[in-house]
């Protein structure tokens, strides 16, 4: 097991996943504190890296495309402060961060975890029901319905028709854009690919975001909606597949636990690692790390 404890939070790796607990320091972002504790399963990871710095470094998890609904809806536009997969590391604990990276990388190598996209969400998204007030409105989601209510300073074009209610099954997509400089952001609930795109301040299906503290929470609510919608990478089943397809697991459901390590399988893995080293795919250092991880399981 590897664990690193910082003011920003605590990351623990047990071989099966990374448990992330946000720190209690007042500087920890509102999004991280609201999201709370999460566990990233090993098969959701594409990689991990430690970036050293002059005063502090950063530990980063890279998730596979499509594994996390929050990353899916934010599309790389979350800043480091709000990104739950970034940990600020004090320079005096850099060695611990590097050990953490080695342990995760060894397990990814040992378990042959692919780095490509996935066709289902491997993380469940935030807890429900959820209500967020930011910008010119308040958005609520209970798992079935999105409701948008307006504040006193909302444009009259939006307030004229009263609150907006959208059923989950009627949504085509959810779009989140943070405020940048003098340009406002938004969260938009899209009912049709051909729906007209009005400015967010005048669109009754959108909340305009002005760059204040609670804005990132709208990304959390958006992810709670997205995780319950069809996955963007899910294969389209044919007629026969529709008849015989098993019931899909609930969003965020954990995969069945793996069987105990088989002695012969681990020995075969050692031979495979030796062949990878001989063929030049693995460096001597990578081979040594991976071999030690296998031997621990024997």
């Amino acid at each position: 097991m590897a664990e690193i404890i910082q003011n920003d939070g605590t990351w623990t790796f047990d071989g099966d996943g990374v448990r992330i607990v946000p720190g209690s320091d007042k500087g920890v972002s509102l999004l991280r504190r609201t999201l709370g504790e999460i566990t990233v399963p090993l098969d959701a990871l594409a990689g991990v890296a430690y970036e050293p710095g002059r005063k502090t470094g950063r530990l980063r998890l890279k998730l596979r495309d499509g594994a996390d609904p929050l990353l899916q809806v934010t599309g790389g536009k979350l800043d480091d402060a709000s990104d739950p997969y970034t940990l600020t590391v004090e320079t005096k604990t850099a060695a611990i961060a590097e050990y953490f990276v080695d342990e995760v990388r060894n397990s990814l190598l040992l378990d042959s975890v692919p780095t490509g996209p996935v066709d289902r969400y491997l993380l469940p998204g935030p807890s429900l029901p959820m209500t967020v007030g930011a910008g010119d409105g308040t958005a609520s989601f209970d798992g079935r319905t999105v409701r948008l209510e307006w504040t006193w300073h909302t444009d009259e074009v939006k307030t004229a028709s009263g609150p907006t209610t959208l059923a989950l099954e009627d949504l085509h997509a959810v779009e989140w854009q943070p405020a940048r400089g003098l340009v406002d952001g938004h969260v938009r609930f899209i009912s049709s690919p051909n729906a007209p795109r009005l400015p967010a301040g005048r669109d009754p299906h959108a909340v305009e975001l002005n760059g204040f503290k609670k804005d990132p929470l709208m990304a959390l609510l958006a992810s709670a909606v997205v995780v319950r919608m069809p996955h963007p990478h899910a294969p389209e089943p044919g007629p026969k597949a529709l008849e015989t397809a098993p019931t899909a697991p609930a969003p965020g459901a954990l995969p069945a636990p793996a069987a105990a390590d088989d002695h012969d399988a681990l020995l075969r893995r050692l031979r495979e690692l030796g062949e990878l080293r001989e063929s030049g795919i693995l460096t001597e250092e990578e081979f040594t790390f991976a071999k030690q991880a296998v031997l621990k399981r024997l």
Side-chain angles (χ1 to χ4, degrees):
M1 187 178 80
E3 183 174 69
I4 181 166
I5 303 172
Q6 301 292 291
N7 292 333
D8 211 17
T10 299
W11 287 14
T12 306
F13 178 64
D14 62 1
D16 296 320
V18 178
R19 178 171 170 258
I20 298 175
V21 180
S24 56
D25 188 82
K26 64 181 181 180
V28 176
S29 76
L30 184 59
L31 184 151
R32 291 187 185 187
R33 288 188 274 119
T34 303
L35 181 59
E37 179 183 324
I38 55 176
T39 297
V40 184
L42 187 66
D43 60 352
L45 291 175
V48 59
Y50 173 64
E51 303 167 356
R54 185 171 299 177
K55 293 184 177 180
T56 59
R58 293 194 186 278
L59 192 58
R60 295 183 188 272
L61 291 180
K62 181 181 179 182
L63 273 62
R64 296 171 66 188
D65 182 22
D68 177 42
L70 177 61
L71 297 184
Q72 186 68 32
V73 80
T74 55
K77 291 172 284 193
L78 272 181
D79 56 33
D80 282 347
S82 296
D83 186 349
Y85 307 115
T86 299
L87 183 71
T88 301
V89 177
E90 298 176 9
T91 53
K92 64 182 180 181
T93 54
I96 299 175
E98 291 168 349
Y99 172 74
F100 188 96
V101 167
D102 288 340
E103 288 293 294
V104 175
R105 285 179 176 171
N106 288 343
S107 290
L108 289 171
L109 180 63
L110 179 62
D111 288 14
S112 301
V113 176
T115 58
V118 295
D119 59 7
R120 64 185 179 91
Y121 292 114
L122 302 178
L123 284 96
S127 301
L128 295 179
M130 189 174 187
T131 299
V132 177
D136 68 350
T138 296
S140 303
F141 182 56
D142 61 4
R144 295 172 297 176
T145 303
V146 176
R147 182 176 173 83
L148 306 179
E149 299 180 73
W150 314 116
T151 63
W152 63 269
H153 60 84
T154 307
D155 190 286
E156 62 182 10
V157 172
K158 294 167 75 168
T159 59
S161 57
T164 298
T165 301
L166 300 163
L168 179 66
E169 58 266 25
D170 294 334
L171 292 178
H172 169 73
V174 182
E175 181 180 86
W176 179 82
Q177 178 70 43
R180 288 285 186 262
L182 299 177
V183 180
D184 290 331
H186 64 263
V187 59
R188 192 190 308 271
F189 300 92
I190 302 168
S191 57
S192 165
N194 300 317
R197 300 296 177 89
L198 300 173
R202 299 169 63 84
D203 186 349
H205 288 188
V207 175
E208 186 178 51
L209 304 176
N210 311 119
F212 295 110
K213 184 177 180 180
K214 290 187 177 181
D215 281 9
L217 296 187
M218 280 294 183
L220 270 189
L221 186 139
S223 72
V225 177
V226 163
V227 77
R228 290 164 175 83
M229 296 173 64
H231 194 282
H233 302 324
E236 295 184 8
K240 290 185 178 180
L242 286 173
E243 295 175 5
T244 60
T247 303
L254 295 176
D261 291 328
D262 180 81
H263 185 81
D264 291 338
L266 291 174
L267 291 177
R268 286 196 299 273
R269 185 58 179 155
L270 281 175
R271 288 195 292 271
E272 290 171 0
L273 290 171
E275 292 170 359
L276 291 172
R277 180 188 59 175
E278 291 174 4
S279 62
I281 296 175
L282 292 181
T283 66
E284 188 66 34
E285 184 179 11
E286 289 171 336
F287 169 74
T288 301
F289 278 132
K291 183 180 74 171
Q292 288 173 349
V294 175
L295 292 176
K296 286 180 182 178
R297 295 189 179 187
L298 283 172

